[in-house]
Amino acid sequence: VRATVASAPPPSGAVAAEVAAIYLGAGLGAPAGQPLRAPHYTVSAAALVGTVSRQGLWYGALCDCRHAAERHLHGGLAERCRDCACARYSGQRRARPGEASLAHGGVLLLDDLPEFPRASIEALAAVLRDGYSRIGAVEIPARCRVIATALPCPCGWSGTDRGCACTPDMRHRYTARVAAYSTRLGLS
């Protein structure tokens, strides 16, 4: 997966600008190629889709001194709009992009899919359906390809020389969870 993403061309045009803005809003450097995010299966729903915090930078905030339809990127460590230098957002809470938004224009790899918490999968499904993550009044783009992996059974030894130690009921529950998560995320 990593080799495929590394060999793919980087996003261009509007998507590249959105990716750069998202990474700036998260306080990270923009990726050189397509974004590849691979969160651990213990990730919370908030970390997967985004949250509001007093830390981090503001992405896509609206400024009082501009027309409401025009969006500004409030980035860097300054608390001021880069276009008009207003200080409207000093001390306010900020949107923090999640893994889905950080994978915008690239790939979100969900390794060992059945181990992810159901709440995280449900939150991610809503974000993937909408194409953006709504955090407070801010919409952060989150259009990415999702690649998920799963073992053949809970112990991971099915079909090997070592032999599987799982009961038929354990394998059934595991495959049912894989199927349910795959359907919920629209994976084929």
Side-chain angles (χ1 to χ4, degrees), residues 16-70:
E18 289 173 341
V19 169
I22 291 167
Y23 274 77
L24 178 64
L28 303 171
Q34 282 192 0
L36 170 64
R37 302 299 293 189
H40 192 263
Y41 61 76
T42 59
V43 69
S44 68
L48 198 55
V49 300
T51 187
V52 176
S53 69
R54 291 205 178 268
Q55 305 298 318
L57 305 172
W58 189 268
Y59 170 81
L62 294 178
C63 187
D64 270 350
C65 56
R66 297 287 189 197
H67 189 267
E70 186 177 339

Side-chain angles (χ1 to χ4, degrees), residues 56-139:
L57 305 172
W58 189 268
Y59 170 81
L62 294 178
C63 187
D64 270 350
C65 56
R66 297 287 189 197
H67 189 267
E70 186 177 339
R71 288 188 174 228
H72 300 291
L73 174 67
H74 291 259
L77 298 177
E79 293 287 336
R80 300 186 180 280
C81 174
R82 72 176 181 190
D83 290 338
C84 61
C86 71
R88 166 150 165 30
Y89 296 105
S90 294
Q92 286 194 359
R93 294 165 52 144
R94 299 182 182 133
R96 184 172 178 91
E99 293 291 333
S101 292
L102 292 171
H104 176 67
V107 174
L108 180 64
L109 174 62
L110 302 177
D111 192 20
D112 215 358
L113 179 65
E115 300 301 325
F116 280 80
R118 181 174 295 278
S120 296
I121 296 297
E122 292 297 325
L124 179 61
V127 168
L128 294 175
R129 180 190 64 235
D130 298 339
Y132 60 87
S133 178
R134 182 182 304 269
I135 304 169
V138 179
E139 293 176 356

